[in-house]
Amino acid sequence: KRDIQETLTSLAKYRKVLSEEEVESVVYGETDVNQTENRVLSLREILSDSGHRLALMIGLILHSSRELSGINVVYNYTPEIFEAANVSDPELGTVGIGLVALFSAGLTALLADRMGRRFIMISGLTVLVIAQIGIGVSQTCNSTGKLLLWSCEGEWTGPVALVSVFAFIAGFVPSVGTVLWLYVNEIT
């Protein structure tokens, strides 16, 4: 954690806008990184430097994953999903989603530094994908009665939809809902 040489190497590699003297003064605590002379890079400079290009690509991919995750569909169609799952009060389910989101955000705030942002991002995205599959399978079976070639009628679709929606929110909020903003800020 306190490896000065590794810090110098990383800062020199990923923060090419800083000179070697500026990097050393930041590492040894003589100057705050925000007090160094920051200059605005042109698009050509950003795209020609491998460190900036990598940060740009990671940021674009992460923000694209946020927008393509389907969170708007889940939030907007939650009452319909709960209604199809035979929940007596779909609006109460929406309140439950808000509570899950609040709890997940609070837990993320407490554990982000301990567990690591990368771990939270990857595990949250994994939960998100599994939950999306659960929502898709349950809603398809609920509306058509079959999934591809198999008949899938039964009472199991409602509980799977409910668990999947709550898991989706619990996976989204810590990863691309919260940590994404910290992660992208740190790589730039």
Side-chain angles (χ1 to χ4, degrees):
K1 293 229 174 199
R2 297 269 182 196
D3 187 1
I4 299 294
Q5 191 57 40
E6 186 178 329
T7 304
L8 287 171
T9 305
S10 296
L11 275 173
K13 182 177 179 182
Y14 295 112
R15 294 269 187 170
K16 298 218 179 203
V17 293
L18 299 177
S19 67
E20 282 189 32
E21 295 81 24
E22 289 173 323
V23 168
E24 286 184 18
S25 69
V26 167
V27 169
Y28 293 115
E30 300 166 5
T31 310
D32 184 17
V33 72
N34 296 323
Q35 293 175 347
T36 59
E37 183 183 318
N38 289 326
R39 63 184 184 89
V40 176
L41 299 177
S42 69
L43 183 60
R44 170 178 263 154
E45 289 174 314
I46 291 172
L47 295 177
S48 66
D49 178 51
S50 63
H52 287 102
R53 196 171 44 244
L54 177 65
L56 178 66
M57 291 306 298
I58 290 172
L60 287 174
I61 289 169
L62 288 175
H63 279 287
S64 296
S65 70
R66 174 183 168 78
E67 294 306 314
L68 297 173
S69 69
I71 187 65
N72 294 333
V73 173
V74 172
Y75 273 136
N76 291 336
Y77 289 99
T78 296
E80 285 84 357
I81 293 171
F82 286 162
E83 198 172 290
N86 297 324
V87 173
S88 61
D89 190 5
E91 285 76 24
L92 191 59
T94 306
V95 171
I97 283 186
L99 292 174
V100 168
L102 181 66
F103 177 74
S104 296
L107 196 61
T108 302
L110 294 174
L111 299 177
D113 287 331
R114 246 182 265 149
M115 296 177 69
R117 289 159 177 74
R118 183 177 180 191
F119 173 76
I120 291 174
M121 181 70 71
I122 291 171
S123 60
L125 287 172
T126 303
V127 169
L128 195 76
V129 168
I130 293 168
Q132 285 175 328
I133 292 169
I135 292 170
V137 166
S138 66
Q139 291 302 102
T140 301
C141 287
N142 198 20
S143 63
T144 64
K146 59 181 172 178
L147 181 66
L148 298 175
L149 301 174
W150 298 281
S151 176
C152 58
E153 297 172 0
E155 296 295 318
W156 62 272
T157 58
V160 168
L162 293 176
V163 169
S164 296
V165 167
F166 286 118
F168 182 90
I169 299 300
F172 177 85
V173 170
S175 58
V176 292
T178 307
V179 170
L180 167 77
W181 299 100
L182 299 173
Y183 202 72
V184 170
N185 187 40
E186 290 175 353
I187 62 171
T188 57

